[in-house]
Amino acid sequence: MTERRGSNGSMKRLASRLDGTILLILICFMIISTLAIHSATTGTKYEGLHVNHFVMYIVLFIPMLAISFLDYRGIVRHCSIILYALGIGLLVLVHFKGMNLNGSTRWISMGPIQFQPSELVKIFVILLVAKMLKRRNGEPLRILQDMVPIMIVTLIPVLLILKQPDLGTSIVYFGILAGLLWMGNMRWIHVIIGSATMAVLAASLACLYMFNHEWLSKMIKLHQMARIQAFVDPASDPNHSWHVLNSIRAVGTGDVFGKGYRQGDMVQNGFIPYDYADSIFVVIGEEFGFLGSALLLLLYFLLIYRMVRIASESSDVSGTYIVVGIMSMFVLQIFENIAMHLGLMPLTGIALPFISYGGSSLLTNMAAIGLVLSVRIHSFQPYS
C-alpha cells in the first residue's frame, strides 16, 4: 500500500510540472486545424476527413503524455542509437516496399494505415545528435571528432529521403543540423566557413540557372526545375505556377477579416490543391483573413517561446539540445510552408505543423512535444 501511494504521489508531482501553456496551445491547434480541414473538404471526395483528424489528435495526446512522463535522459542514453538504426532501416525499406503517390515513394503501407518514416526519423536524428553533443558538455566542437560524425548522421537519412524524392523534408534536416551545431558551440571560424560555402553554392546555382540552364536541368529533376522556374518568374509558365499564384490571390483577397468560414471562393471552388494538407494556410488566410493568420502565428510564437524557456531552464545539456533541435524543426517547417504559399519560397511538399492533415506528421509533432515536456518535467531531477 505504501509503495502504491508513493507511486501515485510521484505521478502527481510529474503531472504538476506539465506545461499548461503548451497543452492549451495544442488544444487551440486541434480546433483550428479541424475547422480548416472541414472547410476544405466539405463537398469533396475527402468529406469527413476532419472527423478522422480530430480523433487522431485526441488519440495522439495519449502517447505524447506517455513520452512526457518517461525520463528523456534514459531515451537518449539507451535508445537513441537503436531508434536511429530503426529509422534508417525504415527509410531503406521505403525504397523496396514503399507506396508511390503523386510521383514520390515516401510511404509504407501497414494495412489501412500509410506511414511516412522520414517524418519520425527527424526525432531519431535529434536524439542521437543530442547524445553526441552531450559528450562535449558545452566545449567548442572539433571538426573531425565532433562535427563530421554529426553531419554524417544527418546526411545519411537526407540522401535516402532525396531519393524518394522529397526535397522539402530534406531541407528540414539541414535546419535541425544548423540549430544543433550552433547550440553545440561551433567555433566562429567554422560558422564563417560554413556560411561562405553556402553562399558560394547558392551563387553557383543562381549562375547556372541564368547562364547554363540546360546543364542545371541535368542535375535537378524536372518537377523541381519547374518549381524553381515558377518561383523565380511565375508569369513565364502559368501551367506550373498556377498553384502559387492562386494561393497568393486567395490569401490576398482574405483581406483583414477574411471572407468567412466556408466562404472562400478559391478554396471552395477547388483552385487550391491539397488545401486540407500542405496548403491549409491558404484556407485560413482566405476565410479568416489577416487576423486569423496573425492569431495562428501568435500561437506558434507562444509555442516557440515556451520551448525557449524550457531549453534555457534545463539543468541538463542533452535536454537543451533536444528542445533546440525540435524548435529548429518547427521553425523551419512553419516558415517554409507559409512562405511558399506567399511566393517567398519555392513550392515544396511540406506540412504546416499541427494544422495540416497527415498522420505521420502529427505523430511526429506530438512525439516531439512529448520530449519537450519530458525535459520540462525531468531535467531538474537526479538521473539514476
Side-chain angles (χ1 to χ4, degrees):
M1 180 67 70
T2 303
E3 291 181 2
R4 184 177 299 175
R5 287 177 179 173
S7 175
N8 291 338
S10 177
M11 286 297 295
K12 288 181 180 179
R13 284 194 300 271
L14 294 178
S16 68
R17 287 197 58 81
L18 283 171
D19 193 302
T21 303
I22 289 181
L23 295 178
L24 180 59
I25 291 171
L26 290 181
I27 293 173
C28 292
F29 282 151
M30 179 177 65
I31 295 170
I32 292 171
S33 60
T34 301
L35 290 174
I37 293 170
H38 176 255
S39 176
T41 57
T42 298
T44 72
K45 63 179 180 179
Y46 300 110
E47 187 164 2
L49 210 60
H50 67 287
V51 177
N52 297 340
H53 179 75
F54 182 79
V55 172
M56 189 163 50
Y57 235 118
I58 296 296
V59 170
L60 288 178
F61 264 97
I62 298 172
M64 182 200 74
L65 292 173
I67 292 172
S68 70
F69 289 129
L70 294 175
D71 196 324
Y72 70 94
R73 292 167 293 190
I75 299 174
V76 170
R77 182 177 298 183
H78 302 296
C79 303
S80 56
I81 296 176
I82 297 172
L83 290 172
Y84 178 81
L86 174 63
I88 298 301
L90 288 173
L91 290 176
V92 172
L93 183 63
V94 168
H95 290 283
F96 295 99
K97 300 290 185 180
M99 295 178 57
N100 188 298
L101 294 174
N102 301 318
S104 296
T105 306
R106 308 177 189 177
W107 296 267
I108 295 176
S109 179
M110 299 166 52
I113 300 173
Q114 297 170 2
F115 173 64
Q116 187 175 348
S118 58
E119 287 289 336
L120 202 55
V121 174
K122 291 184 287 192
I123 302 296
F124 301 160
V125 168
I126 291 171
L127 290 171
L128 182 54
V129 173
K131 177 184 178 72
M132 298 168 74
L133 288 173
K134 181 176 172 61
R135 295 170 185 166
R136 292 298 292 163
N137 201 30
E139 293 295 319
L141 298 178
R142 301 160 296 182
I143 291 182
L144 293 179
Q145 298 95 324
D146 304 312
M147 294 177 62
V148 170
I150 289 172
M151 290 179 181
I152 291 173
V153 162
T154 307
L155 286 175
I156 291 173
V158 166
L159 293 174
L160 290 170
I161 292 167
L162 283 173
K163 279 183 166 291
Q164 296 180 355
D166 187 356
L167 180 61
T169 303
S170 301
I171 293 173
V172 177
Y173 280 81
F174 287 113
I176 293 170
L177 175 64
L180 286 171
L181 286 178
W182 176 264
M183 185 54 61
N185 197 7
M186 285 179 65
R187 299 178 189 272
W188 274 106
I189 185 63
H190 299 156
V191 176
I192 294 171
I193 292 173
S195 300
T197 302
M198 294 298 294
V200 169
L201 288 173
S204 300
L205 289 173
C207 289
L208 286 174
Y209 179 82
M210 290 186 291
F211 303 113
N212 202 332
H213 198 277
E214 182 179 350
W215 197 62
L216 180 62
S217 64
K218 296 178 181 178
M219 302 169 55
I220 299 178
K221 295 182 181 298
L222 289 176
H223 73 280
Q224 294 171 343
M225 179 63 75
R227 288 177 177 179
I228 294 174
Q229 180 69 23
F231 168 68
V232 175
D233 186 8
S236 65
D237 189 356
N239 290 330
H240 286 103
S241 59
W242 70 275
H243 184 172
V244 176
L245 293 174
N246 286 348
S247 296
I248 295 172
R249 189 177 299 115
V251 174
T253 56
D255 208 358
V256 177
F257 300 103
K259 294 182 176 180
Y261 184 59
R262 293 188 57 203
Q263 300 301 313
D265 297 330
M266 303 294 286
V267 170
Q268 298 301 322
N269 292 314
F271 289 107
I272 309 297
Y274 307 109
D275 50 1
Y276 60 92
D278 295 350
S279 299
I280 199 164
F281 178 75
V282 181
V283 180
I284 296 170
E286 184 179 26
E287 298 190 351
F288 298 98
F290 172 79
L291 291 180
S293 302
L295 174 61
L296 178 61
L297 292 176
L298 177 62
L299 290 172
Y300 279 133
F301 172 80
L302 292 175
L303 176 65
I304 300 302
Y305 170 74
R306 287 305 307 159
M307 293 171 69
V308 169
R309 290 289 302 271
I310 292 170
S312 62
E313 293 171 358
S314 174
S315 59
D316 173 65
V317 291
S318 64
T320 299
Y321 294 142
I322 288 172
V323 179
V324 168
I326 292 170
M327 273 195 301
S328 302
M329 177 181 76
F330 286 152
V331 168
L332 197 146
Q333 288 184 205
I334 294 165
F335 171 78
E336 187 177 351
N337 181 280
I338 294 176
M340 71 185 187
H341 289 107
L342 299 179
L344 302 177
M345 290 281 287
L347 192 66
T348 57
I350 190 167
L352 186 61
F354 301 104
I355 305 298
S356 294
Y357 180 84
S360 300
S361 174
L362 186 59
L363 171 63
T364 300
N365 295 335
M366 296 296 272
I369 293 297
L371 286 171
V372 171
L373 295 175
S374 177
V375 173
R376 155 98 174 153
I377 291 172
H378 296 284
S379 65
F380 297 97
Q381 298 180 338
Y383 178 69
S384 55

PDB file of all heavy atoms in Angstrom, residues 31-42:
ATOM      1  N   ILE A  31      -8.425  22.624 -32.611  1.00  0.00           N
ATOM      2  CA  ILE A  31      -9.676  23.253 -33.023  1.00  0.00           C
ATOM      3  C   ILE A  31      -9.516  23.946 -34.379  1.00  0.00           C
ATOM      4  O   ILE A  31     -10.338  23.780 -35.295  1.00  0.00           O
ATOM      5  CB  ILE A  31     -10.140  24.265 -31.954  1.00  0.00           C
ATOM      6  CG1 ILE A  31     -10.483  23.528 -30.648  1.00  0.00           C
ATOM      7  CG2 ILE A  31     -11.347  25.061 -32.454  1.00  0.00           C
ATOM      8  CD1 ILE A  31     -10.728  24.450 -29.469  1.00  0.00           C
ATOM      9  N   ILE A  32      -8.439  24.720 -34.541  1.00  0.00           N
ATOM     10  CA  ILE A  32      -8.207  25.456 -35.784  1.00  0.00           C
ATOM     11  C   ILE A  32      -8.054  24.504 -36.964  1.00  0.00           C
ATOM     12  O   ILE A  32      -8.656  24.698 -38.029  1.00  0.00           O
ATOM     13  CB  ILE A  32      -6.953  26.350 -35.651  1.00  0.00           C
ATOM     14  CG1 ILE A  32      -7.209  27.466 -34.648  1.00  0.00           C
ATOM     15  CG2 ILE A  32      -6.548  26.928 -37.012  1.00  0.00           C
ATOM     16  CD1 ILE A  32      -5.965  28.263 -34.284  1.00  0.00           C
ATOM     17  N   SER A  33      -7.237  23.468 -36.782  1.00  0.00           N
ATOM     18  CA  SER A  33      -6.980  22.545 -37.892  1.00  0.00           C
ATOM     19  C   SER A  33      -8.226  21.760 -38.258  1.00  0.00           C
ATOM     20  O   SER A  33      -8.508  21.541 -39.448  1.00  0.00           O
ATOM     21  CB  SER A  33      -5.845  21.586 -37.537  1.00  0.00           C
ATOM     22  OG  SER A  33      -6.168  20.809 -36.395  1.00  0.00           O
ATOM     23  N   THR A  34      -9.017  21.350 -37.268  1.00  0.00           N
ATOM     24  CA  THR A  34     -10.245  20.596 -37.550  1.00  0.00           C
ATOM     25  C   THR A  34     -11.231  21.450 -38.348  1.00  0.00           C
ATOM     26  O   THR A  34     -11.840  20.990 -39.325  1.00  0.00           O
ATOM     27  CB  THR A  34     -10.893  20.109 -36.252  1.00  0.00           C
ATOM     28  OG1 THR A  34      -9.969  19.275 -35.529  1.00  0.00           O
ATOM     29  CG2 THR A  34     -12.149  19.305 -36.539  1.00  0.00           C
ATOM     30  N   LEU A  35     -11.382  22.721 -37.945  1.00  0.00           N
ATOM     31  CA  LEU A  35     -12.289  23.621 -38.666  1.00  0.00           C
ATOM     32  C   LEU A  35     -11.793  23.876 -40.088  1.00  0.00           C
ATOM     33  O   LEU A  35     -12.587  23.874 -41.047  1.00  0.00           O
ATOM     34  CB  LEU A  35     -12.412  24.949 -37.913  1.00  0.00           C
ATOM     35  CG  LEU A  35     -13.177  24.911 -36.584  1.00  0.00           C
ATOM     36  CD1 LEU A  35     -13.098  26.267 -35.886  1.00  0.00           C
ATOM     37  CD2 LEU A  35     -14.633  24.516 -36.801  1.00  0.00           C
ATOM     38  N   ALA A  36     -10.487  24.080 -40.245  1.00  0.00           N
ATOM     39  CA  ALA A  36      -9.935  24.368 -41.576  1.00  0.00           C
ATOM     40  C   ALA A  36     -10.066  23.164 -42.497  1.00  0.00           C
ATOM     41  O   ALA A  36     -10.401  23.302 -43.679  1.00  0.00           O
ATOM     42  CB  ALA A  36      -8.473  24.788 -41.441  1.00  0.00           C
ATOM     43  N   ILE A  37      -9.812  21.981 -41.967  1.00  0.00           N
ATOM     44  CA  ILE A  37      -9.938  20.765 -42.781  1.00  0.00           C
ATOM     45  C   ILE A  37     -11.396  20.519 -43.154  1.00  0.00           C
ATOM     46  O   ILE A  37     -11.710  20.108 -44.276  1.00  0.00           O
ATOM     47  CB  ILE A  37      -9.340  19.555 -42.036  1.00  0.00           C
ATOM     48  CG1 ILE A  37      -7.821  19.716 -41.902  1.00  0.00           C
ATOM     49  CG2 ILE A  37      -9.664  18.245 -42.762  1.00  0.00           C
ATOM     50  CD1 ILE A  37      -7.162  18.715 -40.976  1.00  0.00           C
ATOM     51  N   HIS A  38     -12.300  20.796 -42.222  1.00  0.00           N
ATOM     52  CA  HIS A  38     -13.737  20.648 -42.522  1.00  0.00           C
ATOM     53  C   HIS A  38     -14.138  21.577 -43.658  1.00  0.00           C
ATOM     54  O   HIS A  38     -14.855  21.176 -44.596  1.00  0.00           O
ATOM     55  CB  HIS A  38     -14.562  20.950 -41.273  1.00  0.00           C
ATOM     56  CG  HIS A  38     -16.040  20.912 -41.506  1.00  0.00           C
ATOM     57  ND1 HIS A  38     -16.810  22.063 -41.587  1.00  0.00           N
ATOM     58  CD2 HIS A  38     -16.896  19.878 -41.713  1.00  0.00           C
ATOM     59  CE1 HIS A  38     -18.067  21.738 -41.818  1.00  0.00           C
ATOM     60  NE2 HIS A  38     -18.149  20.422 -41.888  1.00  0.00           N
ATOM     61  N   SER A  39     -13.671  22.820 -43.612  1.00  0.00           N
ATOM     62  CA  SER A  39     -13.998  23.780 -44.662  1.00  0.00           C
ATOM     63  C   SER A  39     -13.418  23.344 -46.006  1.00  0.00           C
ATOM     64  O   SER A  39     -14.079  23.474 -47.045  1.00  0.00           O
ATOM     65  CB  SER A  39     -13.455  25.161 -44.301  1.00  0.00           C
ATOM     66  OG  SER A  39     -13.686  26.091 -45.336  1.00  0.00           O
ATOM     67  N   ALA A  40     -12.182  22.817 -45.990  1.00  0.00           N
ATOM     68  CA  ALA A  40     -11.510  22.455 -47.235  1.00  0.00           C
ATOM     69  C   ALA A  40     -12.086  21.199 -47.881  1.00  0.00           C
ATOM     70  O   ALA A  40     -11.985  21.026 -49.099  1.00  0.00           O
ATOM     71  CB  ALA A  40     -10.017  22.264 -46.977  1.00  0.00           C
ATOM     72  N   THR A  41     -12.679  20.311 -47.097  1.00  0.00           N
ATOM     73  CA  THR A  41     -13.080  19.005 -47.633  1.00  0.00           C
ATOM     74  C   THR A  41     -14.591  18.844 -47.807  1.00  0.00           C
ATOM     75  O   THR A  41     -15.032  17.886 -48.448  1.00  0.00           O
ATOM     76  CB  THR A  41     -12.577  17.872 -46.716  1.00  0.00           C
ATOM     77  OG1 THR A  41     -13.077  18.077 -45.381  1.00  0.00           O
ATOM     78  CG2 THR A  41     -11.055  17.844 -46.686  1.00  0.00           C
ATOM     79  N   THR A  42     -15.386  19.737 -47.245  1.00  0.00           N
ATOM     80  CA  THR A  42     -16.837  19.609 -47.381  1.00  0.00           C
ATOM     81  C   THR A  42     -17.251  19.687 -48.850  1.00  0.00           C
ATOM     82  O   THR A  42     -16.853  20.596 -49.579  1.00  0.00           O
ATOM     83  CB  THR A  42     -17.555  20.712 -46.590  1.00  0.00           C
ATOM     84  OG1 THR A  42     -17.236  20.585 -45.204  1.00  0.00           O
ATOM     85  CG2 THR A  42     -19.068  20.605 -46.763  1.00  0.00           C
TER      86      THR A  42
END
